[in-house]
Structures are given as structure tokens and as C-alpha cells.
Amino acid sequence: RKMIMLEIRKVLNEEMKDALNLVWRVFLEYEAPDYTDEGIKEFKKSIDDVNWVNAREFYGAFIEEKLVGVIATKDATHIALFFVDGKFQGQGIGRKLYNKIIELNNQEFFTVNSSPYAHEIYKHLGFADTDTEQCINGLRFYPMKNSKV
């Protein structure tokens, strides 16, 4: 078996379009079925908003220069986006992306508003619900928190 070289690094400006395309593609495939049209439009509005995007730090998982996963944080402690291409899910790529932001975060915790689809995945990463399921502008989510310790 050929060893796959995975690189986790900051997404460069010229790669941002690819990153957002990956986010949108994976969202449509895995998350959108849990949302109303309003929620889907709201999500798209966020990732199309340059100011929203610029207020976040994006890290990518690259296999031979091909972007296969994205994680984005706001204020170093909040996970805003976390998506891995379906063909690469279940291979530890999400865990490696998450480990990268842990390494960079000098706070003691992370928060996330998890989609229903990702809820179990976040629990697996050590997150716990801080409230019941919420719905804002059609986007359903579970507020969650994880302390790094």
C-alpha cells in the first residue's frame, strides 16, 4: 500500500474558493437533508459573505495538493466550519484537522454549534451539549463545548 501524505496547513487566499466549494459540496450531501430551504439558504449566505469568511481562520487537509478537508475557527475558540470530503471520511482526517486547531489554541476550550449530522462526531471528539437543539433562520444546531484537558 502506498503511503498517503497528508498535510494540514492554513488555507491560502488563492485556495479559499476551493475550500468554500468543498464546504458547500459536503454540506449539500450530508447536512442539507436535515434542513429546510431557509436553513440551506442561510448557510450559503454565510459562506458567500466575504466579511464572514474573512473573520475566520481556515485550515485545510491536503493529499498531494488536493484539498480534502476544511476546518475554520472564529476567535480561536469557536469551530465555525468543519467538513471532510465524503470519499475521505472515516480515515482520521477530521481528527487531524481538529488536532491542528487544538495545537494553535491557547485557550482551555472549544465551542461549536453542531449540525444534527455532525452531533455524534463531535461527541466522539469529546464535546458535550451545553443546551438543547436550537434553530435559527432554519439552521438546526446543538450548542456544544469541549475542554481540551
Side-chain angles (χ1 to χ4, degrees):
R1 261 173 51 121
K2 173 173 140 144
M3 180 69 194
I4 293 186
M5 288 303 296
L6 179 71
E7 183 189 11
I8 308 284
R9 63 170 169 78
K10 207 169 164 132
V11 173
L12 306 173
N13 286 341
E14 59 270 24
E15 296 166 328
M16 195 53 79
K17 192 171 181 287
D18 285 350
L20 294 170
N21 284 340
L22 177 132
V23 164
W24 180 235
R25 218 174 49 244
V26 177
F27 173 85
L28 285 178
E29 188 175 349
Y30 296 94
E31 315 265 349
D34 292 325
Y35 293 120
T36 60
D37 285 351
E38 182 196 15
I40 294 166
K41 284 190 186 94
E42 187 65 24
F43 182 84
K44 183 81 170 106
K45 199 171 86 185
S46 297
I47 64 170
D48 284 347
D49 178 344
V50 173
N51 293 327
W52 189 92
V53 169
N54 288 342
R56 282 145 189 84
E57 290 273 312
F58 281 74
Y59 291 87
F62 297 84
I63 293 177
E64 291 161 5
E65 301 302 306
K66 179 183 162 46
L67 183 64
V68 298
V70 171
I71 195 166
T73 58
K74 183 177 184 342
D75 304 327
T77 60
H78 183 75
I79 297 172
L81 298 169
F82 192 0
F83 291 91
V84 175
D85 183 314
K87 293 187 288 291
F88 295 91
Q89 290 181 9
Q91 298 177 27
I93 292 171
R95 167 74 68 182
K96 288 190 172 80
L97 279 165
Y98 179 59
N99 288 344
K100 178 68 173 178
I101 66 166
I102 287 178
E103 197 184 293
L104 297 164
N105 170 335
N106 57 11
Q107 311 299 313
E108 290 307 308
F109 66 92
F110 279 103
T111 57
V112 69
N113 291 330
S114 172
S115 67
Y117 176 80
H119 195 219
E120 287 306 313
I121 297 165
Y122 280 111
K123 283 183 177 170
H124 187 69
L125 290 172
F127 283 77
D129 294 348
T130 56
D131 204 342
T132 54
E133 183 180 328
Q134 315 282 307
C135 186
I136 296 177
N137 299 332
L139 286 174
R140 294 169 52 207
F141 63 91
Y142 295 87
M144 301 181 85
K145 187 173 182 176
N146 180 14
S147 42
K148 289 173 16 179
V149 232

